[in-house]
């Protein structure tokens, strides 16, 4: 399965429920998951779910991460969102995908789902560093979230 952008995200953008500004924007978080994306998220999903989230117990050193938003990269044709890379040190866990969500409450809704990132299979760290590297957003085809 490829990355998944929920239908609700598109509408939420036009209703001004997501602010990706680096300074003064919303708070975006990243959660890691095991198993299949389809068992938790579909294009009809609207908010974050803890179902199949990686366990934080047993010395895994996993916790939900608050993303550092590097802001919006914009040209005359494309606008993209950029986040700083995320690392878990001394990690012992396996993850198959991640979800990015807006943890701020806007119009009485918190934890709005933004995108689900498919890792293309299980990725494992055993007492090592688990890193999610966000691509350079200056090219729309590389960006996690972009509009043209």
């Amino acid at each position: 399965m490829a990355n998944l952008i929920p239908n609700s995200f598109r509408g939420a953008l036009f209703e001004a429920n997501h602010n990706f500004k680096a300074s003064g924007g919303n708070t975006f978080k990243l959660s890691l998951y095991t198993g299949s994306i389809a068992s938790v998220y579909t294009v009809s999903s609207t908010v974050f779910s803890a179902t199949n989230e990686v366990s934080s117990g047993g010395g895994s050193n996993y916790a939900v991460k608050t993303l550092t938003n590097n802001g919006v990269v914009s040209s005359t044709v494309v606008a993209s969102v950029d986040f700083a890379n995320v690392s878990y040190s001394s990690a012992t866990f396996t993850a198959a995908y991640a979800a990015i969500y807006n943890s701020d409450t806007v119009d009485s809704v918190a934890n709005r789902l933004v995108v689900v990132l498919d890792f293309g299979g299980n990725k494992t760290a055993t007492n090592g560093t688990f890193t999610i590297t966000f691509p350079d957003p200056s090219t729309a085809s590389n960006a996690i979230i972009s509009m043209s």
Side-chain angles (χ1 to χ4, degrees):
M1 179 175 212
N3 294 343
L4 181 147
I5 297 177
N7 295 334
S8 62
F9 174 71
R10 294 166 178 87
L13 277 178
F14 289 112
E15 294 173 350
N17 291 315
H18 297 292
N19 181 343
F20 290 98
K21 290 169 95 175
S23 178
N26 293 131
T27 301
F28 294 90
K29 295 194 175 183
L30 182 134
S31 294
L32 299 176
Y33 296 86
T34 60
S36 164
I37 291 174
S39 67
V40 179
Y41 292 113
T42 69
V43 293
S44 298
S45 299
T46 58
V47 295
F48 156 82
S49 172
T51 302
N52 290 349
E53 189 174 5
V54 168
S55 172
S56 60
S60 70
N61 202 27
Y62 168 75
V64 171
K65 294 279 190 176
T66 298
L67 294 173
T68 300
N69 188 346
N70 291 334
V72 176
V73 176
S74 186
S75 70
T76 57
V77 178
V78 177
S80 303
V81 174
D82 185 27
F83 296 107
N85 297 341
V86 174
S87 291
Y88 299 83
S89 59
S90 303
T92 300
F93 58 76
T94 298
Y97 61 99
I100 296 175
Y101 60 97
N102 179 348
S103 64
D104 290 349
T105 300
V106 180
D107 288 343
S108 303
V109 179
N111 301 324
R112 289 177 189 266
L113 188 60
V114 172
V115 64
V116 180
L117 307 174
D118 185 355
F119 295 161
N122 289 331
K123 304 300 179 192
T124 301
T126 304
N127 198 25
T129 301
F130 189 100
T131 301
I132 298 170
T133 303
F134 288 96
D136 176 0
S138 61
T139 304
S141 61
N142 290 339
I144 294 297
I145 304 167
S146 68
M147 292 178 70
S148 58

